[in-house]
């Protein structure tokens, strides 16, 4: 037997370090398998891409422009670049992925549009913070504010209510700013609020949405949705120039068909959210451990001592502590409640 083809060792036990540790969900996999039967035209000129785009239009109840890219950094930074001239600026939260986790890609792809960072609480910006940054300077020497970006659900696992999204959109429009939504975990926000994708976006004043697939059960891929055709002008060229136009586009598009048409996008997110809530409830009574933000979506941030974290690592658990020293646990479509129980058991032992 060719040893190169032997199954590599899987990581034996499930970890909750990130929601992108999960595999591909069955619905996405089935669509990929179907799309793999035979050949199809390239660069998006195929029936899978058309069907996936139409599934988004049906889900969002509007004739939006839909583009498929490889990851969230590309989706966000290309979307922001397309809304901005190089002398514009983008108002974002200090905790936002575009500010902290994209290696300057929004600035790079926009040829210099500056991110203006607002203080946030639990990952959220307020209309007041937008007003403050939008009016701070209005002279020729300062990059002109042009876009506001919010993350839904936020990097802290919280979710903006519809009223909060609308208030932000009103503040943005009052200053002539466009509104972009980083929806790497958009589905988790919809599941938490019970709001429709339309209510969450264009009906509340969002102009462009990056809808995350990777953390929702795809292998790879995010969709960029423009709710105003004018804003989508030439976005296809921008994607191509940035190396984001897949020649075998059907394999970026097809998995969305299974996700959207079956409702898996929402079921997956609801499961992940339930797991986070369950975990937060289980650890609530453990002395010396507390959550640092409301658990709305699929993330739980735990504040505890370094000793407890070291003990937990020694028991083989993986987690990040890049936000304020808190340990982040994230749940996905495939999170196993029994494995969460093991984590709770170990946390209790480590804290004792
Ligand atoms: C994961 C994530 C992204 C996308 O990250 P990539 O690694 O580029 O796919 C974007 N925004 C937020 C808030 C995220 O958590």
């Amino acid at each position: 037997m060719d040893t190169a083809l032997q199954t590599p060792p899987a990581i034996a036990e499930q970890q909750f370090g990130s929601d992108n540790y999960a595999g591909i969900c069955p619905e996405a996999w089935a669509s990929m398998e179907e799309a793999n039967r035979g050949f199809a035209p390239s660069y998006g000129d195929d029936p899978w891409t058309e069907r996936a785009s139409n599934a988004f239009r049906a889900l969002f109840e509007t004739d939006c422009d839909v583009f498929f890219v490889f990851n969230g950094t590309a989706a966000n930074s290309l979307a922001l670049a397309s809304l901005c001239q190089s002398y514009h600026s983008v108002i974002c939260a200090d905790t936002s992925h575009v500010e902290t986790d994209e290696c300057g890609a929004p600035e790079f792809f926009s040829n210099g549009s500056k991110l203006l960072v607002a203080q946030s609480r639990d990952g959220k910006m307020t209309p007041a913070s937008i007003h403050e940054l939008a009016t701070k300077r209005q002279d020729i020497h300062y990059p002109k504010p042009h876009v506001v970006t919010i993350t839904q659900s936020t990097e802290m696992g919280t979710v903006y209510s519809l009223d909060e999204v609308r208030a932000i959109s009103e503040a943005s429009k009052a200053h002539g700013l466009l509104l972009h939504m980083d929806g790497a975990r958009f589905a988790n926000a919809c599941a938490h609020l019970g709001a429709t994708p339309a209510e969450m976006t264009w009906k509340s004043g969002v102009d462009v949405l990056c809808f995350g697939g990777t953390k929702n059960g795809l292998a790879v891929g995010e969709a960029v949705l423009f709710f105003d055709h004018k804003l989508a002008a030439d976005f296809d060229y921008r994607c191509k120039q940035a190396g984001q136009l897949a020649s075998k586009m059907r394999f970026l598009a097809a998995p969305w068909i299974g996700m959207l048409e079956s409702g898996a996008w929402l079921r997956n997110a609801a499961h992940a959210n339930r797991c986070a809530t369950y975990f937060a409830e289980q650890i609530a009574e453990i002395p010396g451990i507390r959550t640092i933000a409301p658990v709305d979506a699929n993330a739980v941030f735990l504040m505890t001592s370094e000793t407890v974290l070291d003990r937990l690592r020694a028991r083989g658990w993986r987690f990040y502590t890049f936000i304020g020293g808190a340990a982040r646990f994230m749940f996905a479509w495939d999170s196993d409640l029994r494995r969460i129980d093991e984590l709770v058991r170990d946390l209790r032992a480590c804290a004792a």
Side-chain angles (χ1 to χ4, degrees):
M1 185 180 166
D2 181 357
T3 51
L5 290 178
Q6 280 173 13
T7 314
I11 293 178
E13 289 168 315
Q14 190 170 59
Q15 293 281 344
F16 305 110
S18 183
D19 38 0
N20 57 23
Y21 284 15
I24 304 167
C25 73
E27 293 85 353
W29 187 260
S31 290
M32 283 280 266
E33 204 276 328
E34 227 182 292
N36 194 38
R37 294 178 202 157
F39 62 91
S42 53
Y43 297 110
D45 190 19
D46 66 274
W48 305 97
T49 303
E50 190 181 1
R51 190 165 145 200
S53 302
N54 286 334
F56 274 108
R57 292 179 190 118
L59 182 65
F60 282 80
E61 308 169 56
T62 188
D63 181 30
C64 49
D65 289 292
V66 183
F67 301 88
F68 300 96
V69 298
F70 289 98
N71 67 13
T73 300
N76 283 336
S77 53
L78 295 177
L80 292 174
S82 76
L83 301 179
C84 288
Q85 297 288 340
S86 57
Y87 51 85
H88 283 146
S89 53
V90 175
I91 296 175
C92 66
D94 49 3
T95 47
S96 66
H97 198 270
V98 291
E99 160 68 7
T100 65
D101 286 298
E102 299 191 353
C103 196
E107 295 92 330
F108 175 75
F109 281 113
S110 62
N111 288 312
S113 300
K114 185 179 167 71
L115 298 181
L116 303 181
V117 175
Q119 274 194 357
S120 62
R121 190 153 164 213
D122 296 335
K124 296 184 189 178
M125 276 192 300
T126 59
S129 59
I130 290 163
H131 177 76
E132 191 190 325
L133 281 170
T135 54
K136 191 171 148 195
R137 287 271 299 271
Q138 276 152 338
D139 58 86
I140 194 82
H141 305 284
Y142 197 68
K144 188 179 181 189
H146 193 63
V147 179
V148 171
T149 175
I150 58 172
T151 309
Q152 179 76 316
S153 58
T154 72
E155 289 79 0
M156 298 302 298
T158 54
V159 173
Y160 289 93
S161 69
L162 285 183
D163 281 345
E164 286 172 322
V165 175
R166 286 177 195 139
I168 284 191
S169 136
E170 277 163 27
S172 306
K173 303 289 179 269
H175 294 290
L177 309 172
L178 296 167
L179 184 56
H180 164 263
M181 182 177 274
D182 174 352
R185 300 187 182 90
F186 182 74
N188 301 85
C190 291
H192 173 70
L193 292 181
T196 68
E199 288 168 333
M200 194 80 100
T201 55
W202 61 274
K203 287 188 176 173
S204 298
V206 173
D207 298 298
V208 183
L209 169 71
C210 296
F211 189 140
T214 310
K215 289 166 182 159
N216 192 222
L218 264 54
V220 53
E222 322 277 299
V224 184
L225 276 58
F226 289 85
F227 300 109
D228 175 347
H229 296 303
K230 286 196 296 291
L231 296 176
D234 290 348
F235 193 71
D236 45 354
Y237 286 89
R238 194 175 285 283
C239 289
K240 171 66 191 182
Q241 186 182 51
Q244 290 292 321
L245 178 67
S247 63
K248 289 191 178 178
M249 182 69 89
R250 67 180 146 143
F251 295 114
L252 277 194
W256 285 106
I257 296 170
M259 295 288 273
L260 301 186
E261 291 184 355
S262 74
W265 71 279
L266 195 57
R267 279 196 304 278
N268 286 353
H271 173 79
N273 291 1
R274 269 197 304 277
C275 287
T277 303
Y278 174 79
F279 176 62
E281 285 167 1
Q282 298 303 303
I283 54 100
E285 302 303 321
I286 303 178
I289 297 179
R290 64 182 173 84
T291 53
I292 64 162
V295 179
D296 292 341
N298 62 329
V300 180
F301 287 83
L302 298 183
M303 196 55 104
T304 184
S305 69
E306 257 322 300
T307 315
V308 172
L309 295 183
D310 283 342
R311 287 182 188 149
L312 203 57
R313 288 188 192 99
R315 286 178 182 237
W317 290 100
R318 286 168 171 254
F319 49 88
Y320 291 100
T321 53
F322 58 82
I323 299 183
R328 189 191 73 169
F329 294 93
M330 301 229 57
F331 303 92
W333 67 271
D334 66 342
S335 293
D336 181 353
L337 285 174
R338 282 167 308 182
R339 186 67 179 147
I340 297 175
D341 287 337
E342 290 176 16
L343 174 57
V344 172
R345 187 201 60 207
D346 278 357
L347 260 168
R348 195 170 279 125
C350 292

